[in-house]
């Protein structure tokens, strides 16, 4: 009844999951799995009635546990692949039919015991026929199946059970029968050590039969089943002899065989390498392992919910990785429940073995239980990266008719063995040594406990890191169903928005010139720019009340709707800056010198995020690097554009420079070339026109320590924190040559860095902290300011800034300005092209908002840079 109630509500959740995921009742509900629920319900009820009739003393927990496991697996397969769910339903019906019919068999199971050689030989011959007539339903991999037309049998599955039956009968036939009365306490229980002939001669037939089976499996390359066979053989020998040394020898042989398999078989080598270091090739040979761990991590504590996860992203989730599928959608709670069911199955199976009426049925029950437990732990450990992958199925849960049928036959045999009246079972229990059974029981419980702890490790401890990996596509899938926040400019005009309905959301980028800044969020190419750095806000995982986030993830298995982000960008100025820059290779930054808000940020050439699928390869191969955001990631030699800053620092420290403007570099008679030819020989004109020699003299006058302090204060050795990627600058400890340092030797600046550095000239000597993302919109708190990432810093006095700006006032515009031209040099390999700089801004006494404009052109066209900068500032001050 408990299994039925659980599966009914689980099936109901699967039916409603499309509506829950889309958050609307206008969805296509899932109905196909109810056929499986119906078949399961009818079969389970009939089986339960027949058990009560033909095995009234059966173990009360065994069948209920298997009923829940098989139903849970059936619904999981329907959730992943409905077509395979229908096939599994047919196999489930057949398995239950065999189980019901088998309840009428004799309880002593003599037909298995008497014909042990015949049964095992038949299984070996059937398995051997796959070498000639074998096929693979998937048309890939080893051909280990027999059949056609959609009906296939994997002979190695029943062969496991036949080997157990053979070993149980063989070992029981060579032990003294148990006495019906209680044995004396003093004599030790019988063991092979007291028998003659020797232990080796007694075990020789079992070695031969098991060896033939192993050889067939190795030839088939069914190495997972071969491992199970060796383990079955070791445990059965231990149950029959109590000889731990012999078991250790067999398990040592298993390790040696595994080592040999690593050397001989490529498949084994690939799986072991993927187990040892899955992060080395997560998109290739380790893809299944890495995606399995990501799926488990996404389950977290309560799971995504039935039908709300993405377990299908893991290959073979319906068979080899069905544990992963259950973990993702049922979480840690579901994993604990699932492993608890297997622990109960192991406990009841070995309990049945202890109470069996004779050695044969005792060994048979113990072997069947060990087989089910070992195969379960082997595949679960492979999913959790505790062991290499083996490719075996998870009993009662994984898709596979042969596996399911074999598992139900195992259930039948355990049920028949457990049907002994309690009084007789208690009497037999007192006649045998329980130590081997209890030891194996403890080992299995340790294994199940370890699997539980490792699951918690991947879900809780490593979960955040795994979910943040770029090869986790679940975030992209969630974006199709859950509203992702928009980007707005400072006036509320949309820059990026969502199109379509829930389940088919797509991202629309409305202003391509902002692509290097805003970036993209793509299922194929990942995320970049602000889409990446503000992802938690855009997904609604930050900026909302914790209970709202928890409620949405618990109810919908998804994050809540995302939050809109308001940027400092002025869309009109952005478009104007983009139009003025045109097709030139370069960058433009327009900055509010008082608040640090970035009003325009253009990097050219740029790209269209809406066309990434068709243009990606061209973008990667384009020598002009359109994916590069030159405003923050560009690193250019500043040259004479440092002039206004050096002039201001000189005024701050020593007053105006000497009246004579040098025309050659210090300690040299070689004349220098200015960016703009001019007859004016005043200091302001020389600095405005980008003449390098005056800057070198100012550098010598200030000295290395003063220059280093100035550059540090201006932020030349820090990254402007605007939530965008940037190249980290090198921070020297000393400046050996002040003259060359004043010309920007060994200094590389981005246009944004320069804009922030010259902002004090227009802002009364204060350098602002940059601001790009201003606020987010939350349903609870409306618009909320994003916390600033820094604070303003005083660089010059207000009088120094005023004096500097006045000295650098443009002839025909109410702004200050400076130009620079960096010529290619043979001594500096990074400067292999000419760069033109423009830096300018409003005057400090300007009654409006102080604005800074910085222009960088990679073609060295100083006149064009000046035209663009003056034009943008002219729009502000007009």
């Amino acid at each position: 009844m408990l299994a039925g109630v659980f599966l009914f509500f689980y099936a109901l959740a699967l039916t409603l999951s499309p509506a829950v995921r889309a958050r609307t009742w206008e969805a296509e509900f899932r109905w196909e799995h109810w056929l499986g629920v119906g078949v399961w319900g009818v079969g389970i009820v009939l089986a339960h009635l027949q058990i009560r009739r033909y095995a009234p003393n059966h173990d009360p927990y065994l069948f209920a546990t298997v009923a829940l496991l098989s139903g849970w697996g059936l619904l999981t397969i329907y959730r992943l692949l409905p077509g395979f769910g229908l096939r599994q339903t047919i196999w489930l019906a057949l398995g239950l039919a065999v189980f019901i019919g088998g309840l009428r068999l004799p309880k002593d199971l003599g037909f298995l015991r008497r014909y042990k050689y015949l049964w095992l030989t038949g299984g070996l011959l059937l398995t051997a026929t796959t070498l000639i007539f074998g096929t693979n339903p998937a048309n890939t991999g080893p051909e280990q199946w027999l059949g056609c037309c959609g009906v296939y049998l994997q002979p190695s599955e029943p062969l496991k059970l036949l080997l157990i039956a053979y070993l149980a009968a063989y070992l029981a036939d060579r032990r003294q029968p148990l006495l019906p009365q209680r044995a004396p306490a003093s004599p030790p229980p019988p063991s092979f050590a007291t028998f003659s002939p020797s232990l080796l001669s007694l075990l020789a037939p079992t070695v031969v039969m098991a060896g033939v089976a192993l050889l067939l499996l190795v030839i088939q390359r069914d190495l997972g089943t071969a491992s199970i066979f060796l383990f079955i053989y070791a445990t059965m020998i231990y149950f029959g002899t109590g000889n731990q040394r012999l078991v250790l020898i067999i398990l040592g042989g298993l390790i040696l065989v595994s080592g040999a398999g690593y050397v001989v078989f490529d498949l084994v080598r690939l799986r072991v390498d993927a187990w040892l270091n899955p992060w080395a090739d997560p998109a290739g040979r380790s893809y299944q392992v890495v995606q399995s761990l990501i799926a488990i991590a996404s389950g977290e504590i309560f799971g995504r919910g039935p039908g709300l996860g993405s377990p299908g992203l893991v290959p073979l989730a319906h068979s080899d990785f069905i544990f992963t599928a259950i973990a993702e959608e049922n979480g840690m709670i579901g994993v604990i429940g699932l492993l608890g069911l297997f622990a109960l199955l192991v406990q009841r199976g070995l309990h049945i073995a202890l109470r069996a009426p004779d050695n044969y049925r005792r060994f048979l029950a113990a072997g069947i239980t060990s087989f089910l437990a070992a195969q379960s732990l082997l595949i679960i450990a492979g999913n959790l990266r505790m062991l290499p992958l083996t490719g075996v199925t998870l009993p009662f849960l994984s898709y596979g008719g042969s596996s399911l049928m074999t598992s139900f036959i195992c259930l039948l045999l355990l049920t028949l063995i457990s049907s002994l009246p309690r009084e007789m079972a208690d009497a037999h229990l007192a006649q045998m040594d329980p130590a081997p059974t209890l030891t194996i029981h403890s080992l299995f419980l340790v294994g199940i406990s370890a699997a539980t702890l490792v699951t918690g490790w991947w879900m809780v401890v490593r979960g955040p890191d795994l979910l943040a990996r770029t090869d986790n596509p679940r975030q992209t899938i969630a974006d199709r169903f859950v509203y992702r926040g928009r980007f707005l400019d400072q006036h509320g005009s949309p820059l990026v928005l969502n199109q379509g309905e829930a389940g088919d959301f797509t991202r629309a980028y409305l202003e391509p010139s902002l692509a290097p800044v805003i970036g993209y969020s793509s299922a194929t190419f990942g995320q970049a720019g602000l889409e990446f750095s503000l992802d938690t806000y855009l997904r609604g995982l930050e900026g909302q009340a914790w209970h709202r986030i928890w409620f949405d993830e618990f109810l919908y298995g998804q994050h809540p709707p995302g939050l809109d982000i308001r940027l400092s960008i002025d869309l009109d100025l952005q478009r104007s800056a983009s139009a003025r820059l045109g097709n030139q290779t370069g960058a433009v930054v327009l900055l509010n010198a008082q608040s640090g808000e970035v009003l325009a940020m253009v990097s050219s050439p740029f790209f269209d995020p809406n066309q990434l699928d068709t243009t990606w390869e061209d973008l990667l191969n384009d020598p002009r690097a359109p994916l590069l955001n030159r405003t923050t990631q560009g690193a250019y030699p500043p040259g004479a554009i440092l002039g206004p800053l050096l002039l201001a620092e000189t005024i701050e420290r020593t007053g105006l420079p000497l009246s004579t403007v040098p025309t050659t570099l210090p300690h040299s008679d070689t004349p220098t070339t200015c960016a703009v030819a001019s007859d004016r020989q005043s200091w302001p004109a020389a600095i405005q026109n980008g003449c390098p020699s005056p800057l070198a003299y100012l550098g010598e006058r200030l000295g290395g320590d003063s220059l280093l302090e100035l550059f540090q204060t201006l932020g030349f050795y820090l990254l402007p924190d605007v939530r965008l990627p940037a190249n980290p600058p090198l921070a020297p400890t000393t400046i050996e040559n002040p003259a060359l340092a004043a010309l920007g030797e060994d200094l590389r600046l981005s246009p944004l860095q320069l804009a922030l550095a010259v902002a004090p000239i227009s802002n009364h000597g204060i350098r602002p902290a940059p601001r790009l993302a201003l606020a987010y919109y939350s349903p609870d708190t409306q618009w909320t300011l994003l916390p600033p990432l820094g604070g303003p810093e005083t660089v010059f006095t207000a009088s120094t800034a005023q004096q500097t700006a006045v000295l650098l006032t443009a002839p025909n515009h109410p702004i200050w300005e400076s130009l620079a031209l960096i010529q290619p040099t043979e001594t500096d390999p990074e400067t292999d092209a000419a760069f033109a700089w423009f830096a300018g801004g409003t005057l400090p006494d300007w009654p409006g908002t102080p604005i800074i404009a910085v222009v960088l052109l990679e073609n060295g066209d100083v006149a064009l840079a000046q035209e663009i900068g003056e034009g943008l500032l002219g729009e502000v001050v007009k």
Side-chain angles (χ1 to χ4, degrees):
M1 290 179 63
L2 290 175
V5 170
F6 172 82
L7 294 178
F8 172 80
F9 284 105
Y10 199 92
L12 182 62
L14 280 180
T15 297
L16 299 177
S17 60
V20 174
R21 169 166 274 188
R23 308 191 189 197
T24 176
W25 291 108
E26 297 180 2
E28 295 183 5
F29 297 100
R30 291 175 172 159
W31 301 104
E32 58 274 0
H33 57 276
W34 285 103
L35 174 61
V37 174
V39 171
W40 177 90
V42 172
I44 294 298
V45 170
L46 291 176
H48 175 66
L49 294 176
Q50 294 301 304
I51 291 174
R52 294 179 62 183
R53 178 178 179 181
Y54 293 102
N57 297 308
H58 69 282
D59 185 277
Y61 300 100
L62 187 65
F63 181 71
T65 301
V66 169
L68 181 51
L69 287 173
S70 61
W72 201 349
L74 179 65
L75 289 179
T76 304
I77 295 169
Y78 264 111
R79 181 260 179 274
L80 293 165
L81 298 167
F84 283 77
L86 179 59
R87 296 182 184 181
Q88 189 79 346
T89 301
I90 297 173
W91 282 111
L92 176 63
L94 292 175
L96 287 170
V98 170
F99 175 81
I100 294 171
L103 291 172
R104 296 172 173 82
L105 293 172
K107 301 297 187 294
D108 63 357
L109 303 177
F111 66 97
L112 280 177
R113 183 174 186 175
R114 286 190 299 271
Y115 304 110
K116 54 183 178 294
Y117 286 104
L118 183 61
W119 285 112
L120 183 57
T121 302
L124 291 173
L125 292 175
L126 189 63
T127 304
T129 57
T130 60
L131 301 178
I132 303 174
F133 304 106
T135 184
N136 190 311
N139 296 320
T140 59
E143 297 177 340
Q144 303 167 0
W145 285 261
L146 295 174
C148 69
C149 309
V151 179
Y152 297 93
L153 171 69
Q154 188 174 11
S156 61
E157 288 294 333
L159 184 61
K160 303 171 190 174
L161 180 56
L162 293 175
L163 177 65
I164 294 171
Y166 162 76
L167 290 173
Y170 181 87
L171 295 172
D173 289 344
R174 281 151 181 78
R175 293 199 61 166
Q176 296 176 353
L178 290 173
L179 299 176
Q181 69 275 11
R182 180 182 297 271
S186 55
S191 70
F192 276 116
T194 63
F195 294 151
S196 181
S198 67
L199 180 62
L200 182 60
S201 63
L202 284 172
L203 294 180
T206 68
V207 173
V208 172
M209 299 298 285
V212 172
L214 282 173
L215 180 61
L216 282 173
L217 294 174
V218 170
I219 294 174
Q220 282 187 326
R221 292 189 297 161
D222 192 355
L223 303 179
T225 302
S227 302
I228 295 292
F229 263 64
L230 273 176
F231 182 84
I232 289 173
Y233 184 77
T235 54
M236 291 297 291
I237 295 301
Y238 181 51
F239 283 130
T241 68
N243 193 320
Q244 297 180 0
R245 184 176 301 174
L246 184 59
V247 173
L248 293 177
I249 292 174
I250 297 173
L251 294 180
L254 175 60
I255 296 175
L256 292 177
V257 170
S258 300
Y262 179 84
V263 175
V264 175
F265 296 104
D266 292 338
L267 178 62
V268 176
R269 184 161 53 252
L270 290 175
R271 287 181 171 178
V272 172
D273 291 343
W275 168 58
L276 293 174
N277 187 12
W279 322 115
D281 188 15
R285 63 189 180 190
S286 305
Y287 181 79
Q288 279 184 299
V289 177
V290 172
Q291 290 301 316
S292 173
L293 298 179
I294 293 175
I296 291 170
S298 68
E300 298 178 319
I301 302 299
F302 298 101
R304 299 295 94 190
L308 299 179
S310 301
L313 295 172
V314 183
L316 299 177
H318 62 293
S319 57
D320 295 10
F321 288 88
I322 197 167
F323 172 81
T324 295
I326 292 175
E328 178 173 356
E329 297 202 333
N330 297 271
M332 191 68 199
I333 301 299
V335 169
I336 292 174
L338 179 65
L339 294 177
L341 290 174
F342 278 111
L344 180 60
L345 183 63
V346 171
Q347 193 274 336
R348 300 316 298 177
L350 293 179
H351 180 76
I352 292 170
L354 285 174
R355 298 165 61 88
D358 54 49
N359 285 333
Y360 169 65
R361 281 178 278 186
R362 175 173 298 116
F363 296 154
L364 182 61
I368 288 173
T369 305
S370 299
F371 150 59
L372 294 174
Q375 183 157 315
S376 300
L377 283 176
L378 191 62
I379 191 61
I380 290 173
N383 286 190
L384 292 170
R385 201 199 155 205
M386 296 171 63
L387 293 173
L389 292 174
T390 55
V392 296
T393 56
L394 189 56
F396 298 108
L397 283 100
S398 293
Y399 171 78
S402 304
S403 173
L404 189 63
M405 186 67 70
T406 302
S407 299
F408 268 100
I409 295 175
C410 292
L411 172 66
L412 169 65
L413 297 177
L414 289 175
T415 303
L416 293 174
I417 296 171
S418 72
S419 62
L420 186 71
R422 182 178 301 273
E423 295 78 11
M424 295 179 60
D426 291 339
H428 288 297
L429 179 61
Q431 305 298 320
M432 51 86 65
D433 179 17
T437 305
L438 296 178
T439 300
I440 294 296
H441 177 260
S442 299
L443 290 176
F444 282 135
L445 290 187
V446 168
I448 292 173
S449 300
T452 306
L453 293 175
V454 173
T455 302
W457 164 263
W458 292 120
M459 283 186 173
V460 179
V461 180
R462 292 292 309 278
D465 293 335
L466 288 171
L467 296 179
R469 287 178 59 90
T470 56
D471 54 356
N472 175 21
R474 286 164 181 80
Q475 295 181 350
T476 303
I477 294 173
D479 284 342
R480 292 170 45 202
F481 289 89
V482 186
Y483 173 87
R484 182 175 176 85
R486 301 176 299 168
F487 281 107
L488 311 174
D489 85 334
Q490 63 173 255
H491 303 297
S493 298
L495 304 173
V496 181
L497 48 78
N498 293 323
Q499 292 179 337
E501 301 294 334
D504 193 32
F505 279 136
T506 57
R507 207 74 167 145
Y509 297 87
L510 307 183
E511 180 53 43
S513 69
L514 280 168
V517 178
I518 292 179
Y520 50 83
S521 183
S522 167
T524 306
F525 309 107
Q527 293 179 324
L530 295 178
E531 288 273 27
F532 171 75
S533 61
L534 295 171
D535 184 66
T536 53
Y537 287 98
L538 296 168
R539 292 185 187 279
L541 295 174
E542 194 170 352
Q544 301 206 65
W546 68 268
H547 56 81
R548 178 178 174 85
I549 299 173
W550 180 88
F551 178 80
D552 279 56
E553 290 191 342
F554 179 79
L555 182 61
Y556 302 112
Q558 300 166 339
H559 57 78
L563 308 180
D564 292 343
I565 301 290
R566 186 186 295 273
L567 302 181
S568 61
I569 296 294
D570 184 306
L571 185 55
D572 292 335
L573 292 176
Q574 176 74 21
R575 289 173 174 169
S576 176
S578 177
R580 291 178 182 276
L581 188 58
N583 293 324
Q584 300 295 324
T585 302
V588 174
V589 173
L590 206 59
L591 184 75
N592 183 326
Q594 186 176 49
S595 65
E597 296 176 5
V598 179
L599 304 178
M601 184 177 277
V602 181
S603 175
S604 178
F606 45 80
F607 60 95
D608 187 351
N610 302 299
Q611 305 295 328
L612 284 182
D613 291 336
T614 57
T615 62
W616 183 258
E617 291 299 326
D618 294 335
L619 294 174
L620 291 179
N621 298 323
D622 192 330
R624 299 175 67 197
L627 293 172
L628 177 72
N629 181 9
R630 287 170 166 81
T631 60
T632 58
Q633 294 176 288
Y636 303 97
I641 203 64
L642 298 179
L645 301 170
L646 297 178
L647 178 63
E649 182 69 7
T650 303
I651 293 174
E652 182 87 359
R653 291 178 179 271
T654 63
L656 284 172
L658 299 173
S659 57
T660 302
V661 179
T663 58
T664 60
L665 293 177
H667 317 295
S668 172
D669 297 331
T670 304
T672 59
T673 304
C674 300
V676 177
S678 174
D679 294 334
R680 294 179 295 170
Q681 296 299 314
S682 67
W683 279 93
I687 291 175
Q688 271 187 330
N689 295 329
C691 300
S693 51
L695 270 64
Y697 277 92
L698 290 181
E700 280 203 335
R701 184 172 178 179
L702 291 170
D705 293 341
S706 297
L707 282 179
L708 181 63
E709 181 182 354
L710 174 64
F711 291 169
Q712 290 173 340
T713 305
L714 292 172
F716 287 172
Y717 306 132
L718 298 174
L719 294 178
D721 202 342
V722 287
R723 297 183 171 90
L724 286 175
N727 293 321
L730 297 177
T733 56
T734 59
I735 291 179
E736 301 294 338
N737 191 327
L740 295 180
L743 294 175
E745 185 187 55
D746 298 328
L747 188 62
R748 297 295 179 268
L749 300 179
S750 68
L752 180 59
Q753 278 181 297
L754 182 61
L756 292 168
V758 299
I761 298 176
S762 294
N763 189 37
H764 309 289
I766 300 174
R767 177 182 178 270
R771 298 291 304 276
L772 182 57
L774 300 180
Y776 62 87
Y777 184 84
S778 169
D780 301 324
T781 59
Q782 304 300 309
W783 283 106
T784 303
L785 293 178
L786 283 165
L789 301 176
E793 187 170 357
T794 300
V795 181
F796 312 117
T797 63
S799 60
T800 296
Q802 173 73 26
Q803 190 174 359
T804 303
V806 171
L807 289 172
L808 299 178
T809 301
N812 302 315
H813 303 281
I815 60 171
W816 69 266
E817 66 179 6
S818 179
L819 301 168
L821 174 64
I822 293 86
Q823 296 284 5
T825 63
E826 296 181 358
T827 58
D828 188 351
E830 294 187 16
T831 311
D832 57 358
F835 299 101
W837 283 104
F838 169 90
T842 56
L843 299 175
D845 57 0
W846 163 251
T849 301
I851 302 296
I852 292 294
V854 168
V855 180
L856 181 281
L857 295 181
E858 294 186 10
N859 61 0
D861 192 336
V862 177
L864 180 58
Q866 183 178 23
E867 179 184 343
I868 295 172
E870 289 181 348
L872 287 173
L873 290 174
E875 291 186 33
V876 176
V877 300
K878 63 181 178 181

